[in-house]
Amino acid sequence: MITIISSTNRTGANTRQVADIYASLLKDLGEEHQILDLKDLPHDFIFSALFENRGSNPEFNETQKLIDETNKFVFIIPEYNGSFPGILKAFLDGLKFPGSFKGKVGALVGLSAGTMGGSLAMSHLTDILNYLGLFVLPIKPRINNVQKIISDGKIDDLFIMNLLKEQAEQLSKFHCQNTM
């Protein structure tokens, strides 16, 4: 199972559109997948599911179960203030450590309204995911000026679509050590 994580809780974000596009690529490859949209996390999880409250929020516990049952991830990451969204860090902090990501594989796709395409966000997140034991694929597509190339739920840039397809194919072929 591949879980695509739409890594923001911002309503109407381009991030979810990119997650949906990636899901269609995985569908074309015959891969079982699902989308975890961080805007759907319990609104109080930062207070009811982290640290001394770990395991206390039944809704977040279901999210933990979903993560435990997943062995491949795709993080769709918008760049906010030169890094990734705080909700993503809080989400990662709320999961069991170690073990939620250890021995699994992840793919990163960055996006931004500017010219960097989420480069800084992906760099910061790669360090954290490596620390958590997740192998991050080396191909990391960057979608810059995202608002200019997405229309009607499609990416109007052949180069970027080819990068996304190549990454999805690599992820599909990757065999994890930790196969739940």
Side-chain angles (χ1 to χ4, degrees):
M1 171 67 74
I2 298 174
T3 296
I4 302 166
I5 299 175
S6 180
S7 302
T8 183
N9 58 340
R10 186 177 190 174
T11 302
N14 290 314
T15 308
R16 178 55 194 247
Q17 289 184 68
V18 175
D20 291 337
I21 292 164
Y22 208 101
S24 69
L25 295 173
L26 292 175
K27 182 179 178 186
D28 291 347
L29 292 170
E31 287 289 345
E32 187 179 350
H33 61 280
Q34 60 194 347
I35 295 176
L36 172 59
D37 194 328
L38 296 190
K39 76 173 181 54
D40 296 330
L41 289 173
H43 294 289
D44 67 341
F45 88 96
I46 293 174
F47 302 102
S48 65
L50 272 68
F51 313 118
E52 68 275 0
N53 294 319
R54 181 168 278 126
S56 299
N57 184 311
E59 244 184 300
F60 195 80
N61 292 346
E62 286 301 310
T63 303
Q64 177 68 62
K65 183 179 175 191
L66 181 146
I67 296 299
D68 291 343
E69 293 172 351
T70 299
N71 61 6
K72 296 179 181 183
F73 297 89
V74 179
F75 290 86
I76 310 296
I77 314 152
E79 187 167 288
Y80 288 2
N81 299 316
S83 190
F84 55 85
I87 191 75
L88 178 56
K89 181 63 166 85
F91 167 71
L92 295 172
D93 287 347
L95 297 172
K96 287 186 292 190
F97 176 85
S100 290
F101 294 104
K102 189 173 184 173
K104 299 177 181 184
V105 65
L108 307 184
V109 177
L111 55 113
S112 71
T115 59
M116 296 294 287
S119 296
L120 292 171
M122 288 192 293
S123 176
H124 295 164
L125 186 58
T126 297
D127 289 343
I128 292 166
L129 293 174
N130 286 163
Y131 178 81
L132 296 175
L134 186 82
F135 176 80
V136 177
L137 292 178
I139 183 172
K140 298 176 189 172
R142 297 181 311 271
I143 305 172
N144 60 331
N145 299 307
V146 66
Q147 70 285 356
K148 293 180 182 176
I149 67 163
I150 290 186
S151 62
D152 299 323
K154 295 181 181 165
I155 294 176
D156 297 326
D157 185 303
L158 187 58
F159 177 74
I160 290 173
M161 281 305 298
N162 285 336
L163 285 175
L164 293 174
K165 287 177 187 176
E166 182 181 347
Q167 183 192 58
E169 289 168 359
Q170 283 182 7
L171 184 63
S172 177
K173 293 175 185 173
F174 196 92
H175 296 288
C176 300
Q177 330 167 352
N178 185 359
T179 56
M180 302 310 296

XYZ file of all heavy atoms in Angstrom, residues 71-168:
747
model
N 3.856 0.761 3.658
C 5.307 0.587 3.551
C 5.950 1.520 2.526
O 7.165 1.570 2.416
C 5.684 -0.873 3.281
C 5.104 -1.403 1.988
O 4.500 -0.671 1.216
N 5.286 -2.684 1.753
N 5.117 2.270 1.805
C 5.625 3.252 0.847
C 4.810 4.529 0.976
O 3.588 4.475 1.081
C 5.522 2.730 -0.592
C 6.385 1.506 -0.866
C 6.204 1.038 -2.306
C 7.047 -0.197 -2.588
N 6.919 -0.616 -4.008
N 5.517 5.660 0.943
C 4.875 6.951 1.132
C 5.253 7.911 0.018
O 6.357 7.848 -0.523
C 5.313 7.583 2.465
C 4.921 6.787 3.661
C 5.755 5.799 4.166
C 3.706 7.004 4.292
C 5.403 5.049 5.269
C 3.339 6.262 5.396
C 4.184 5.276 5.888
N 4.345 8.825 -0.273
C 4.630 9.963 -1.143
C 4.232 11.196 -0.344
O 3.087 11.313 0.090
C 3.824 9.920 -2.457
C 4.139 11.145 -3.313
C 4.094 8.637 -3.225
N 5.184 12.075 -0.112
C 4.916 13.328 0.581
C 4.820 14.436 -0.467
O 5.787 14.702 -1.176
C 6.045 13.662 1.562
C 6.107 12.750 2.753
C 6.793 11.553 2.683
C 5.486 13.098 3.947
C 6.866 10.704 3.781
C 5.554 12.258 5.040
C 6.241 11.058 4.964
N 3.657 15.058 -0.565
C 3.468 16.219 -1.432
C 3.627 17.426 -0.510
O 2.818 17.637 0.384
C 2.085 16.228 -2.114
C 1.783 14.879 -2.793
C 1.984 17.398 -3.078
C 2.701 14.501 -3.938
N 4.708 18.193 -0.732
C 5.138 19.182 0.256
C 5.160 20.594 -0.308
O 6.002 20.922 -1.141
C 6.560 18.850 0.746
C 6.697 17.382 1.058
C 6.937 19.703 1.944
C 8.095 16.881 0.887
N 4.271 21.442 0.185
C 4.376 22.847 -0.196
C 5.468 23.518 0.632
O 5.744 23.096 1.762
C 2.998 23.407 0.171
C 2.575 22.587 1.338
C 3.130 21.197 1.072
N 6.090 24.511 0.058
C 7.096 25.265 0.803
C 6.434 26.455 1.476
O 5.821 27.288 0.808
C 8.205 25.733 -0.140
C 9.362 26.364 0.605
C 10.571 26.525 -0.276
O 11.215 25.507 -0.600
O 10.871 27.670 -0.653
N 6.521 26.471 2.809
C 5.991 27.573 3.607
C 7.166 28.205 4.351
O 7.848 27.524 5.121
C 4.982 27.073 4.646
C 3.636 26.618 4.101
C 3.349 26.606 2.749
C 2.651 26.198 4.967
C 2.111 26.183 2.279
C 1.412 25.779 4.506
C 1.156 25.778 3.160
O -0.071 25.363 2.700
N 7.410 29.467 4.110
C 8.446 30.209 4.827
C 9.808 29.515 4.793
O 10.509 29.439 5.789
C 8.009 30.465 6.275
C 6.746 31.278 6.357
O 6.609 32.266 5.643
N 5.807 30.867 7.188
N 10.170 28.992 3.649
C 11.484 28.380 3.475
C 11.607 26.977 4.034
O 12.714 26.436 4.117
N 10.514 26.339 4.397
C 10.552 24.968 4.895
C 9.202 24.320 4.591
O 8.459 24.791 3.736
C 10.844 24.944 6.400
O 11.104 23.617 6.830
N 8.899 23.242 5.283
C 7.621 22.562 5.089
C 6.631 23.026 6.152
O 7.025 23.622 7.155
C 7.802 21.041 5.096
C 8.484 20.494 6.322
C 7.765 20.206 7.467
C 9.854 20.258 6.325
C 8.376 19.711 8.599
C 10.482 19.759 7.450
C 9.743 19.489 8.590
N 5.347 22.771 5.973
C 4.334 23.238 6.923
C 4.509 22.652 8.323
O 4.855 21.476 8.494
C 3.013 22.749 6.315
C 3.307 22.599 4.868
C 4.741 22.143 4.792
N 4.228 23.477 9.316
C 4.333 23.052 10.708
C 3.421 21.882 11.038
O 3.761 21.039 11.874
N 2.276 21.800 10.380
C 1.356 20.689 10.632
C 2.011 19.349 10.301
O 1.765 18.345 10.971
C 0.019 20.870 9.862
C -1.035 19.873 10.326
C 0.215 20.745 8.365
C -1.644 20.189 11.652
N 2.885 19.342 9.295
C 3.584 18.106 8.938
C 4.551 17.698 10.044
O 4.626 16.523 10.406
C 4.311 18.263 7.597
C 5.131 17.066 7.124
C 4.278 15.796 7.031
C 5.791 17.372 5.787
N 5.273 18.660 10.600
C 6.200 18.335 11.698
C 5.429 17.842 12.912
O 5.812 16.849 13.547
C 7.050 19.563 12.057
C 8.060 19.313 13.177
C 9.100 18.281 12.797
C 10.292 18.254 13.722
N 10.123 17.436 14.923
N 4.325 18.511 13.245
C 3.509 18.069 14.380
C 2.975 16.660 14.140
O 2.958 15.822 15.054
C 2.368 19.054 14.624
N 2.547 16.384 12.915
C 2.064 15.049 12.551
C 3.159 14.000 12.775
O 2.930 12.966 13.408
C 1.606 15.055 11.090
C 1.369 13.701 10.501
C 0.285 12.928 10.898
C 2.224 13.191 9.536
C 0.056 11.676 10.350
C 2.002 11.946 8.987
C 0.918 11.183 9.389
N 4.360 14.282 12.266
C 5.471 13.338 12.437
C 5.799 13.144 13.918
O 6.072 12.025 14.358
C 6.711 13.824 11.676
C 6.576 13.880 10.159
C 7.796 14.557 9.537
C 6.363 12.506 9.560
N 5.756 14.230 14.697
C 6.039 14.141 16.128
C 4.989 13.323 16.869
O 5.286 12.739 17.915
C 6.113 15.540 16.749
C 7.372 16.293 16.361
O 8.317 15.674 15.826
O 7.406 17.527 16.577
N 3.770 13.265 16.336
C 2.708 12.521 16.991
C 2.746 11.021 16.744
O 2.104 10.250 17.458
N 3.516 10.590 15.756
C 3.590 9.160 15.432
C 4.579 8.436 16.335
O 5.482 9.050 16.918
C 3.995 8.993 13.961
C 3.005 9.562 12.949
C 3.596 9.507 11.543
C 1.678 8.820 13.016
N 4.403 7.127 16.435
C 5.297 6.314 17.261
C 6.730 6.416 16.751
O 6.979 6.394 15.546
C 4.884 4.842 17.229
C 3.638 4.520 17.987
C 3.385 3.028 18.034
C 3.043 2.530 16.648
N 2.565 1.165 16.583
N 7.658 6.510 17.692
C 9.083 6.540 17.372
C 9.778 5.556 18.277
O 9.516 5.527 19.467
C 9.657 7.941 17.588
C 11.144 7.985 17.362
C 11.633 8.148 16.090
C 12.027 7.843 18.416
C 13.003 8.173 15.859
C 13.385 7.864 18.196
C 13.874 8.036 16.921
N 10.693 4.784 17.789
C 10.981 4.561 16.364
C 9.986 3.554 15.801
O 9.271 2.919 16.542
C 12.387 3.988 16.379
C 12.465 3.224 17.663
C 11.569 3.974 18.640
N 9.950 3.419 14.544
C 9.160 2.352 13.958
C 8.107 2.762 12.958
O 7.760 1.964 12.097
N 7.564 3.957 13.051
C 6.510 4.315 12.107
C 7.016 4.321 10.669
O 6.277 3.981 9.751
C 5.924 5.686 12.460
O 5.182 5.613 13.653
N 8.274 4.715 10.475
C 8.825 4.817 9.119
C 10.055 3.935 8.892
O 10.513 3.808 7.763
C 9.194 6.272 8.808
C 8.000 7.177 8.739
C 7.703 8.035 9.780
C 7.161 7.163 7.638
C 6.598 8.868 9.722
C 6.052 7.986 7.568
C 5.774 8.833 8.615
N 10.580 3.324 9.917
C 11.828 2.573 9.816
C 11.726 1.425 8.809
O 10.805 0.616 8.861
C 12.225 2.025 11.178
C 13.603 1.434 11.194
C 14.024 1.059 12.588
C 15.446 0.554 12.548
N 15.967 0.340 13.885
N 12.682 1.409 7.871
C 12.739 0.347 6.876
C 11.761 0.514 5.726
O 11.617 -0.372 4.902
N 11.110 1.652 5.666
C 10.142 1.913 4.604
C 10.754 2.900 3.616
O 11.871 3.363 3.804
C 8.851 2.466 5.213
C 8.196 1.472 6.188
C 6.962 2.043 6.832
C 6.340 1.064 7.823
N 5.075 1.596 8.381
N 10.019 3.221 2.557
C 10.540 4.108 1.518
C 9.566 5.261 1.281
O 8.363 5.091 1.432
C 10.822 3.343 0.203
C 9.548 2.796 -0.403
C 11.551 4.208 -0.809
N 10.136 6.408 0.923
C 9.312 7.564 0.642
C 9.782 8.315 -0.586
O 10.958 8.302 -0.935
N 8.832 8.959 -1.220
C 9.106 9.826 -2.359
C 8.638 11.224 -1.974
O 7.612 11.373 -1.307
C 8.357 9.331 -3.596
N 9.388 12.235 -2.386
C 9.047 13.607 -2.073
C 8.788 14.388 -3.348
O 9.534 14.274 -4.315
C 10.177 14.301 -1.304
C 10.721 13.625 -0.048
C 11.757 14.525 0.615
C 9.620 13.289 0.923
N 7.723 15.181 -3.312
C 7.402 16.102 -4.397
C 7.228 17.465 -3.754
O 6.403 17.621 -2.844
C 6.101 15.704 -5.134
C 5.755 16.732 -6.202
C 6.221 14.305 -5.730
N 8.014 18.437 -4.198
C 7.927 19.779 -3.646
C 7.168 20.701 -4.565
O 7.174 20.522 -5.787
N 6.510 21.682 -3.964
C 5.841 22.684 -4.777
C 5.889 24.031 -4.080
O 5.980 24.115 -2.861
C 4.403 22.287 -5.110
C 3.462 21.954 -3.964
C 2.375 22.993 -3.878
C 2.848 20.597 -4.237
N 5.883 25.063 -4.907
C 5.884 26.418 -4.364
C 5.285 27.379 -5.372
O 5.230 27.087 -6.567
C 7.310 26.862 -4.009
O 8.075 27.079 -5.173
N 4.856 28.518 -4.859
C 4.359 29.584 -5.724
C 5.527 30.321 -6.378
O 5.367 30.954 -7.402
C 3.507 30.558 -4.926
N 6.704 30.195 -5.779
C 7.898 30.863 -6.298
C 8.728 29.971 -7.192
O 8.239 28.966 -7.722
N 9.993 30.317 -7.316
C 10.869 29.624 -8.265
C 11.628 28.435 -7.689
O 12.258 27.698 -8.439
C 11.908 30.608 -8.843
O 12.669 31.155 -7.761
C 11.222 31.721 -9.607
N 11.580 28.216 -6.387
C 12.374 27.139 -5.772
C 11.709 25.767 -5.847
O 12.362 24.757 -5.679
C 12.687 27.482 -4.309
C 13.558 28.722 -4.150
S 15.214 28.495 -4.814
C 15.894 27.419 -3.575
N 10.427 25.714 -6.051
C 9.746 24.435 -6.194
C 9.789 23.554 -4.959
O 9.733 22.337 -5.052
N 9.909 24.166 -3.804
C 9.925 23.377 -2.574
C 11.264 22.761 -2.243
O 11.347 21.866 -1.407
N 12.338 23.216 -2.863
C 13.672 22.637 -2.632
C 14.067 22.643 -1.161
O 14.538 21.630 -0.639
C 14.738 23.391 -3.433
O 14.513 23.259 -4.800
N 13.905 23.778 -0.500
C 14.281 23.870 0.912
C 13.409 22.967 1.770
O 13.889 22.292 2.678
C 14.205 25.315 1.400
C 15.236 26.267 0.815
C 14.922 27.709 1.212
C 16.635 25.885 1.253
N 12.119 22.946 1.480
C 11.197 22.099 2.237
C 11.600 20.634 2.113
O 11.628 19.898 3.099
C 9.770 22.307 1.734
N 11.923 20.200 0.896
C 12.309 18.799 0.700
C 13.638 18.488 1.373
O 13.820 17.397 1.920
C 12.350 18.462 -0.787
C 10.972 18.388 -1.404
S 10.952 17.656 -3.051
C 11.848 18.875 -4.003
N 14.558 19.434 1.352
C 15.849 19.227 2.012
C 15.658 19.043 3.520
O 16.194 18.096 4.116
C 16.772 20.418 1.728
O 17.983 20.278 2.433
N 14.882 19.921 4.137
C 14.633 19.819 5.573
C 13.915 18.515 5.910
O 14.277 17.828 6.869
C 13.791 20.997 6.055
C 14.469 22.318 5.938
N 13.780 23.498 6.001
C 15.761 22.671 5.756
C 14.614 24.511 5.867
N 15.831 24.029 5.698
N 12.917 18.172 5.125
C 12.148 16.965 5.408
C 12.970 15.707 5.181
O 12.842 14.738 5.940
C 10.869 16.930 4.573
C 9.918 15.784 4.896
C 9.484 15.809 6.359
C 8.711 15.807 3.975
N 13.828 15.709 4.175
C 14.682 14.543 3.924
C 15.524 14.228 5.152
O 15.639 13.064 5.554
C 15.587 14.771 2.696
O 14.758 14.935 1.542
C 16.534 13.602 2.476
N 16.114 15.241 5.776
C 16.924 15.025 6.981
C 16.103 14.361 8.080
O 16.556 13.407 8.725
C 17.490 16.348 7.500
C 18.573 16.928 6.610
O 19.136 16.189 5.769
O 18.865 18.133 6.756
N 14.890 14.838 8.292
C 14.039 14.291 9.351
C 13.612 12.859 9.020
O 13.680 11.967 9.869
C 12.815 15.202 9.571
C 13.272 16.537 10.161
C 11.775 14.528 10.469
C 12.229 17.623 10.125
N 13.190 12.637 7.781
C 12.738 11.288 7.402
C 13.878 10.281 7.448
O 13.681 9.130 7.861
C 12.082 11.325 6.024
C 10.767 12.105 5.951
C 10.282 12.196 4.510
C 9.705 11.506 6.853
N 15.079 10.685 7.058
C 16.239 9.792 7.177
C 16.494 9.448 8.645
O 16.777 8.295 8.975
C 17.478 10.405 6.553
C 17.466 10.399 5.035
O 18.220 11.121 4.404
N 16.621 9.588 4.415
N 16.382 10.429 9.521
C 16.549 10.195 10.953
C 15.518 9.186 11.457
O 15.809 8.354 12.315
C 16.417 11.517 11.721
C 16.532 11.362 13.207
C 17.782 11.272 13.819
C 15.393 11.287 14.013
C 17.893 11.110 15.192
C 15.492 11.125 15.377
C 16.740 11.040 15.969
O 16.850 10.868 17.326
N 14.301 9.250 10.901
C 13.230 8.332 11.301
C 13.381 6.948 10.672
O 12.577 6.060 10.938
C 11.871 8.923 10.945
C 11.498 10.213 11.678
C 10.188 10.771 11.139
C 11.411 9.982 13.181
N 14.402 6.766 9.818
C 14.662 5.454 9.227
C 13.997 5.231 7.883
O 13.991 4.114 7.368
N 13.437 6.275 7.287
C 12.788 6.158 5.986
C 13.831 6.380 4.892
O 14.569 7.356 4.933
C 11.666 7.189 5.853
C 10.805 7.073 4.598
C 9.738 6.005 4.804
C 10.142 8.396 4.269
N 13.872 5.486 3.929
C 14.731 5.680 2.763
C 13.986 6.608 1.810
O 12.861 6.328 1.422
C 15.045 4.353 2.072
C 15.835 4.528 0.815
C 17.205 4.735 0.867
C 15.207 4.536 -0.421
C 17.937 4.931 -0.298
C 15.934 4.727 -1.590
C 17.301 4.923 -1.528
N 14.618 7.712 1.436
C 14.008 8.684 0.541
C 14.594 8.512 -0.852
O 15.819 8.539 -1.024
C 14.228 10.125 1.049
C 13.647 11.139 0.070
C 13.611 10.308 2.435
N 13.719 8.309 -1.832
C 14.179 8.176 -3.212
C 14.944 9.430 -3.630
O 14.576 10.542 -3.257
C 12.995 7.975 -4.159
C 12.232 6.660 -4.047
C 11.049 6.657 -5.025
C 13.125 5.472 -4.310
N 15.990 9.262 -4.421
C 16.803 10.418 -4.809
C 16.124 11.367 -5.793
O 16.435 12.554 -5.809
C 18.056 9.803 -5.426
C 17.699 8.412 -5.766
C 16.587 8.000 -4.851
N 15.197 10.877 -6.601
C 14.513 11.776 -7.528
C 13.417 12.516 -6.754
O 12.562 11.899 -6.124
C 13.938 11.027 -8.756
C 13.308 12.008 -9.727
C 12.984 9.941 -8.362
C 12.881 11.389 -11.045
N 13.503 13.851 -6.778
C 12.577 14.692 -6.011
C 12.067 15.813 -6.921
O 12.648 16.901 -6.960
C 13.287 15.290 -4.792
C 13.790 14.264 -3.807
C 14.570 14.938 -2.695
C 15.254 13.898 -1.838
N 16.163 14.504 -0.872
N 10.990 15.564 -7.638
C 10.454 16.601 -8.529
C 10.086 17.873 -7.773
O 9.553 17.814 -6.666
C 9.211 15.948 -9.134
C 9.449 14.480 -9.004
C 10.232 14.317 -7.732
N 10.407 18.994 -8.401
C 10.099 20.308 -7.846
C 9.146 21.021 -8.800
O 9.454 21.194 -9.976
C 11.372 21.132 -7.676
C 12.350 20.519 -6.706
C 13.597 21.366 -6.528
N 14.224 21.809 -7.769
C 15.152 21.132 -8.447
N 15.564 19.969 -7.996
N 15.669 21.625 -9.545
N 8.016 21.423 -8.261
C 7.021 22.126 -9.066
C 7.035 23.593 -8.642
O 6.504 23.946 -7.593
C 5.620 21.516 -8.890
C 5.642 20.013 -9.196
C 4.608 22.248 -9.760
C 4.357 19.287 -8.878
N 7.693 24.422 -9.436
C 7.717 25.852 -9.122
C 6.572 26.549 -9.850
O 6.012 26.021 -10.806
C 9.067 26.463 -9.474
C 9.411 26.331 -10.932
O 8.994 25.409 -11.606
N 10.182 27.264 -11.446
N 6.218 27.733 -9.340
C 5.098 28.489 -9.923
C 3.870 27.598 -10.124
O 3.238 27.622 -11.178
C 5.515 29.149 -11.240
C 6.657 30.121 -11.047
O 6.577 31.013 -10.212
N 7.734 29.937 -11.789
N 3.569 26.818 -9.115
C 2.538 25.783 -9.202
C 1.196 26.337 -9.668
O 0.483 25.684 -10.438
C 2.411 25.009 -7.867
C 1.892 25.899 -6.750
C 1.549 23.776 -8.030
N 0.856 27.532 -9.243
C -0.437 28.111 -9.606
C -0.546 28.377 -11.104
O -1.648 28.482 -11.636
C -0.706 29.393 -8.799
C 0.156 30.583 -9.167
C 1.608 30.533 -8.685
O 2.020 29.620 -7.983
N 2.386 31.521 -9.090
N 0.587 28.438 -11.795
C 0.573 28.718 -13.239
C 0.482 27.452 -14.092
O 0.157 27.534 -15.266
C 1.829 29.496 -13.639
C 1.883 30.888 -13.063
C 3.149 31.605 -13.501
C 3.216 32.993 -12.888
N 4.473 33.672 -13.229
N 0.814 26.294 -13.511
C 0.843 25.086 -14.342
C -0.242 24.073 -14.004
O -0.360 23.063 -14.679
C 2.227 24.403 -14.315
C 2.533 23.843 -12.934
C 3.304 25.335 -14.804
C 3.649 22.841 -12.956
N -1.027 24.338 -12.968
C -2.141 23.437 -12.651
C -3.433 24.094 -13.120
O -3.726 25.230 -12.772
C -2.236 23.132 -11.146
C -1.073 22.260 -10.722
C -3.548 22.441 -10.818
C -1.141 21.785 -9.293
N -4.179 23.336 -13.935
C -5.506 23.804 -14.335
C -6.398 22.592 -14.563
O -5.957 21.575 -15.091
C -5.430 24.672 -15.596
O -4.917 23.938 -16.683
N -7.611 22.701 -14.114
C -8.596 21.619 -14.246
C -8.069 20.288 -13.711
O -8.292 19.233 -14.306
C -9.028 21.467 -15.707
C -9.686 22.719 -16.252
O -10.420 23.372 -15.485
O -9.475 23.026 -17.441
N -7.323 20.337 -12.594
C -6.817 19.122 -11.972
C -5.715 18.433 -12.744
O -5.443 17.258 -12.525
N -5.055 19.159 -13.639
C -3.965 18.591 -14.436
C -2.759 19.512 -14.394
O -2.901 20.725 -14.256
C -4.403 18.399 -15.884
C -5.504 17.383 -16.053
C -5.877 17.217 -17.486
C -7.007 16.185 -17.553
N -7.680 16.171 -18.798
N -1.592 18.907 -14.543
C -0.350 19.676 -14.638
C -0.044 19.861 -16.113
O 0.107 18.886 -16.848
C 0.809 18.969 -13.913
C 0.525 18.928 -12.404
C 2.140 19.661 -14.199
C 1.542 18.169 -11.581
N 0.047 21.128 -16.511
C 0.250 21.464 -17.921
C 1.728 21.625 -18.272
O 2.079 22.512 -19.053
C -0.484 22.768 -18.260
C -1.982 22.651 -18.083
O -2.524 21.571 -18.329
O -2.596 23.657 -17.686
N 2.569 20.792 -17.707
C 4.003 20.858 -17.981
C 4.495 19.422 -18.195
O 4.557 18.637 -17.246
C 4.734 21.530 -16.816
C 6.209 21.732 -17.073
O 6.906 20.732 -17.354
O 6.669 22.887 -16.977
N 4.822 19.102 -19.429
C 5.208 17.735 -19.780
C 6.458 17.280 -19.035
O 6.552 16.132 -18.604
C 5.418 17.632 -21.296
C 5.665 16.235 -21.850
C 4.521 15.294 -21.514
C 5.875 16.299 -23.353
N 7.430 18.175 -18.867
C 8.668 17.828 -18.164
C 8.364 17.397 -16.728
O 8.844 16.358 -16.270
C 9.640 19.013 -18.182
C 10.901 18.757 -17.418
C 11.879 17.912 -17.922
C 11.116 19.361 -16.189
C 13.049 17.657 -17.212
C 12.280 19.118 -15.474
C 13.253 18.269 -15.984
N 7.553 18.180 -16.025
C 7.212 17.841 -14.640
C 6.404 16.548 -14.587
O 6.642 15.685 -13.739
C 6.470 19.006 -13.957
C 7.457 20.155 -13.742
C 5.844 18.574 -12.643
C 6.847 21.432 -13.223
N 5.458 16.376 -15.493
C 4.682 15.129 -15.509
C 5.577 13.923 -15.740
O 5.395 12.882 -15.105
C 3.576 15.195 -16.569
C 2.364 15.992 -16.138
S 1.623 15.436 -14.572
C 1.136 13.760 -14.973
N 6.567 14.054 -16.612
C 7.497 12.949 -16.845
C 8.328 12.647 -15.605
O 8.588 11.473 -15.301
C 8.384 13.239 -18.051
C 7.651 13.068 -19.360
O 6.664 12.339 -19.448
N 8.113 13.751 -20.399
N 8.739 13.678 -14.872
C 9.469 13.460 -13.621
C 8.594 12.741 -12.592
O 9.057 11.817 -11.913
C 9.959 14.779 -13.037
C 11.150 15.438 -13.696
C 11.419 16.804 -13.057
C 12.385 14.563 -13.592
N 7.349 13.159 -12.489
C 6.432 12.510 -11.550
C 6.213 11.044 -11.930
O 6.201 10.161 -11.057
C 5.100 13.260 -11.490
C 5.131 14.659 -10.891
C 3.767 15.334 -11.048
C 5.549 14.621 -9.436
N 6.044 10.785 -13.218
C 5.868 9.401 -13.679
C 7.105 8.562 -13.381
O 6.995 7.416 -12.921
C 5.576 9.368 -15.182
C 4.194 9.829 -15.545
C 3.992 9.836 -17.053
C 2.661 10.469 -17.414
N 2.461 10.595 -18.856
N 8.280 9.124 -13.641
C 9.523 8.388 -13.374
C 9.650 8.072 -11.887
O 9.999 6.951 -11.505
C 10.723 9.220 -13.838
C 12.053 8.522 -13.636
C 13.241 9.367 -14.083
O 13.059 10.384 -14.777
O 14.368 8.988 -13.716
N 9.342 9.035 -11.043
C 9.413 8.802 -9.606
C 8.401 7.743 -9.177
O 8.716 6.840 -8.395
C 9.178 10.103 -8.840
C 9.319 9.931 -7.338
C 8.800 11.129 -6.592
O 7.634 11.497 -6.750
N 9.662 11.738 -5.788
N 7.172 7.836 -9.673
C 6.134 6.861 -9.326
C 6.546 5.452 -9.749
O 6.317 4.484 -9.020
C 4.805 7.259 -9.965
